[in-house]
């Protein structure tokens, strides 16, 4: 008998979808996120060495200007990721509120009473 992974915690089912939802929302509604994305795109277009740096596992040489550009690129990516993490938190809170409301409805609908050490549906 094989053990099935808990589907709720499966990264393919939960984590990526939430990440996609957060990014889609931010791309449409967050001016700072949009600004950072635009700036990152400008940097990668102006300094193609950034893409080379990210994709190669061989040594490359950078000029001082390119080194500063790579450094700035990572700063911008970090700022963008901080916004994404903030909104992951907000989405989690929103889902928790919804989950709490659902549990309250279930509790009201299917209230239990303890009688003689056992729980019965009342």
């Amino acid at each position: 008998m094989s053990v099935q992974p808990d589907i709720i915690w499966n990264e393919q089912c939960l984590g990526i979808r939430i990440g996609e939802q957060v990014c889609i929302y931010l791309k449409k509604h967050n001016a700072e996120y949009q600004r950072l994305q635009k700036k990152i795109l400008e940097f990668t277009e102006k300094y193609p060495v950034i893409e080379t740096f990210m994709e190669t596992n061989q040594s490359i040489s950078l000029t001082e200007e390119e080194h500063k550009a790579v450094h700035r690129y990572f700063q911008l990516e970090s700022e963008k990721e901080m916004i994404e993490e903030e909104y992951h938190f907000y989405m989690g809170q929103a889902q928790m509120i919804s989950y709490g409301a659902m549990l309250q409805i279930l509790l009201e609908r299917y209230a239990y009473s303890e009688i003689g050490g056992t729980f019965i549906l009342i």
Side-chain angles (χ1 to χ4, degrees):
M1 183 167 130
S2 65
V3 177
Q4 295 286 328
D6 187 350
I7 196 161
I8 293 173
W9 299 110
N10 184 336
E11 183 67 25
Q12 296 298 318
C13 294
L14 183 62
I16 291 175
R17 284 201 63 219
I18 290 175
E20 287 173 359
Q21 292 171 354
V22 166
C23 290
I24 289 168
Y25 176 83
L26 291 171
K27 287 175 186 177
K28 291 180 182 178
H29 303 288
N30 188 292
E32 179 63 10
Y33 189 84
Q34 293 166 1
R35 183 192 71 77
L36 289 168
Q37 275 199 305
K38 182 179 178 190
K39 194 73 173 167
I40 288 167
L41 181 60
E42 289 171 2
F43 262 80
T44 56
E45 288 174 351
K46 184 174 179 179
Y47 300 100
V49 72
I50 293 171
E51 192 171 323
T52 305
F53 178 81
M54 299 295 288
E55 293 181 2
T56 189
N57 54 359
Q58 298 180 7
S59 63
I60 62 171
S61 296
L62 300 174
T63 65
E64 183 178 345
E65 181 183 0
E66 290 170 335
H67 183 268
K68 288 179 182 178
V70 169
H71 187 270
R72 182 66 182 136
Y73 168 84
F74 282 120
Q75 286 176 327
L76 294 168
E77 280 289 345
S78 179
E79 290 176 42
K80 189 176 97 167
E81 288 173 8
M82 289 297 292
I83 294 172
E84 290 170 1
E85 288 180 20
E86 177 183 357
Y87 278 80
H88 274 104
F89 173 78
Y90 294 150
M91 182 175 278
Q93 291 299 307
Q95 289 177 346
M96 194 62 203
I97 291 169
S98 172
Y99 181 68
M102 179 194 68
L103 289 177
Q104 184 63 39
I105 290 168
L106 290 173
L107 179 63
E108 291 168 1
R109 186 175 296 163
Y110 303 105
Y112 285 89
S113 175
E114 187 174 350
I115 296 178
T118 60
F119 286 96
I120 60 168
L121 186 61
I122 57 170

